[in-house]
Amino acid sequence: MDMTNLTGSIVALVTPFAADGSVDYPALERLVDFHLANGTDGILVLGTTGESSTMTDEEDLEVARCVVERVGGRIPVIGGAGSNATFESERKAAGLVRIGVDGLLLITPYYNKSNEEGIYRHFTAVLDKVDVPCILYNIPGRTGCSISEKNLARLARHPNAWGIKEASGSIGYATMAAQYLSDDFCMFSGNDDIVVPLMSLGAKGVISVWADVAPATVHRMCADFLAGDVEAARRAQLENLELIHALFCEVNPIPVKCALAEMGMIGEHYRQPLWTISDAGRERLVAAMRGVGLLG
């Protein structure tokens, strides 16, 4: 489906695993149904939160196919096609497009990082070969490199570069990026704790971990802001800060999968090197969930 008018809450979906380490497809379908019933505006699969870095190529495609089929065209599905090897990103992108994703998320080349021209060409190699909207992913805390202003200015003009997921956590970077927003290039917050500030700069919503557990709340916050009720959006952002911070008290997606397990949505299983949340982290997370009514 056409995602060029997509706004609001895009959930960065977890990948549920069974106790034996395999993908739990019934749980995955339950999560999709949960989001469809609670107003989520779009679904991102195979991102950081989806533990795609520990999954096989076959699992990646099957998870994306499962979500695409379960969604059935009701909301957009975006597939993470990131790699630090450009040819791998091209290959992943082609496979995801074949199974029917509506858009792609493309990350900077982590670890090897590259130079300015190399990063630009890393993105354009994929952008030139696909025919779906692509979101550039800026998250230097994970990748060790950032999309520079020079490269953002160039990439924003590419017809297949639809937007940027800005997850540096820097209001300064987001303000710089806002200069390049247009009818053809948008921004989504990649940080749940500063969604409203970034929307004040022109962001169209958020690609959210928080939405995994509170989809209706995140959708409503974004919808309120876009409808002009900034005070309601601000209030939702502030009232949920402790939950948001608890969801990142340990490396993502450990806390959010713990939270979903506490809600009875999935089993609490990870792919190594991720491991079970600490006792202190669990205590903080459960208290925060109770504070906003997610647990009794």
Side-chain angles (χ1 to χ4, degrees), residues 1-4 6-13 40-48 60 63-65 67-68 71 75-82 92-93 96-97 99-106 132-137 162-163 165 186 188 206-208:
M1 68 181 296
D2 181 13
M3 64 174 247
T4 55
L6 175 61
T7 62
S9 174
I10 303 171
V11 64
L13 196 68
T40 290
D41 299 288
I43 295 178
L44 167 69
V45 294
L46 308 176
T48 305
D60 280 346
V63 164
R65 181 181 291 108
V67 173
V68 167
V71 167
I75 59 175
V77 177
I78 302 163
K92 287 182 178 182
L96 290 168
V97 169
I99 66 161
V101 299
D102 302 295
L104 298 168
L105 182 71
L106 308 176
V132 298
C134 296
I135 303 172
L136 315 176
Y137 189 6
W162 177 68
K165 177 184 178 182
C186 64
F188 283 83
V206 60
I207 299 178
S208 174

Side-chain angles (χ1 to χ4, degrees), residues 169-249:
S170 166
I171 296 295
Y173 185 97
T175 303
M176 176 279 292
Q179 299 175 93
Y180 302 101
L181 303 184
S182 68
D183 291 342
D184 300 315
F185 190 78
C186 64
M187 177 165 64
F188 283 83
S189 175
N191 294 88
D192 283 313
D193 59 345
I194 53 172
V195 180
V196 170
L198 264 62
M199 291 188 78
S200 75
L201 291 168
K204 297 175 75 170
V206 60
I207 299 178
S208 174
V209 175
W210 173 25
D212 273 288
V213 297
T217 300
V218 184
H219 163 78
R220 186 168 56 251
M221 179 185 70
C222 294
D224 282 343
F225 189 98
L226 293 169
D229 194 345
V230 176
E231 175 56 30
R234 185 189 72 87
R235 187 164 57 249
Q237 178 82 89
L238 296 178
E239 288 175 352
N240 286 275
L241 272 182
E242 176 52 31
L243 173 62
I244 292 166
H245 292 158
L247 286 168
F248 293 91
C249 67

Side-chain angles (χ1 to χ4, degrees), residues 1-290:
M1 68 181 296
D2 181 13
M3 64 174 247
T4 55
N5 293 317
L6 175 61
T7 62
S9 174
I10 303 171
V11 64
L13 196 68
V14 304
T15 302
F17 298 120
D20 65 0
S22 62
V23 176
D24 185 345
Y25 289 101
L28 182 61
E29 291 177 343
R30 288 196 301 273
L31 291 177
V32 171
D33 292 346
F34 176 58
H35 287 285
L36 292 172
N38 283 278
T40 290
D41 299 288
I43 295 178
L44 167 69
V45 294
L46 308 176
T48 305
T49 310
E51 295 176 80
S52 60
S53 60
T54 64
M55 292 164 59
T56 67
D57 291 344
E58 292 77 16
E59 287 173 327
D60 280 346
L61 291 177
E62 192 54 37
V63 164
R65 181 181 291 108
C66 176
V67 173
V68 167
E69 291 177 355
R70 194 73 174 185
V71 167
R74 286 171 283 183
I75 59 175
V77 177
I78 302 163
S83 175
N84 65 329
T86 304
F87 79 93
E88 278 289 301
S89 191
E90 292 178 59
R91 186 182 59 77
K92 287 182 178 182
L96 290 168
V97 169
R98 280 195 299 272
I99 66 161
V101 299
D102 302 295
L104 298 168
L105 182 71
L106 308 176
I107 200 166
T108 48
Y110 47 86
Y111 188 70
N112 36 0
K113 298 194 286 190
S114 193
N115 54 11
E116 282 284 287
E117 188 64 19
I119 290 174
Y120 172 74
R121 289 175 181 266
H122 173 79
F123 283 116
T124 55
V126 182
L127 294 171
D128 287 345
K129 288 181 172 62
V130 298
D131 58 359
V132 298
C134 296
I135 303 172
L136 315 176
Y137 189 6
N138 188 62
I139 184 166
R142 287 269 186 179
T143 65
C145 61
S146 183
I147 303 172
S148 69
E149 181 173 1
K150 176 183 175 182
N151 274 339
L152 184 61
R154 290 201 289 174
L155 290 165
R157 296 192 294 267
H158 195 289
N160 288 331
W162 177 68
I164 181 170
K165 177 184 178 182
E166 176 13 41
S168 71
S170 166
I171 296 295
Y173 185 97
T175 303
M176 176 279 292
Q179 299 175 93
Y180 302 101
L181 303 184
S182 68
D183 291 342
D184 300 315
F185 190 78
C186 64
M187 177 165 64
F188 283 83
S189 175
N191 294 88
D192 283 313
D193 59 345
I194 53 172
V195 180
V196 170
L198 264 62
M199 291 188 78
S200 75
L201 291 168
K204 297 175 75 170
V206 60
I207 299 178
S208 174
V209 175
W210 173 25
D212 273 288
V213 297
T217 300
V218 184
H219 163 78
R220 186 168 56 251
M221 179 185 70
C222 294
D224 282 343
F225 189 98
L226 293 169
D229 194 345
V230 176
E231 175 56 30
R234 185 189 72 87
R235 187 164 57 249
Q237 178 82 89
L238 296 178
E239 288 175 352
N240 286 275
L241 272 182
E242 176 52 31
L243 173 62
I244 292 166
H245 292 158
L247 286 168
F248 293 91
C249 67
E250 295 185 18
V251 67
N252 180 49
I254 291 171
V256 72
K257 292 190 87 171
C258 172
L260 285 167
E262 291 285 346
M263 294 168 67
M265 300 289 291
I266 66 171
E268 194 174 343
H269 307 298
Y270 309 87
R271 288 273 174 92
Q272 285 186 264
L274 300 188
W275 198 250
T276 307
I277 195 168
S278 66
D279 290 343
R282 186 183 304 275
E283 182 178 347
R284 177 181 179 183
L285 181 58
V286 167
M289 294 173 71
R290 287 178 176 151

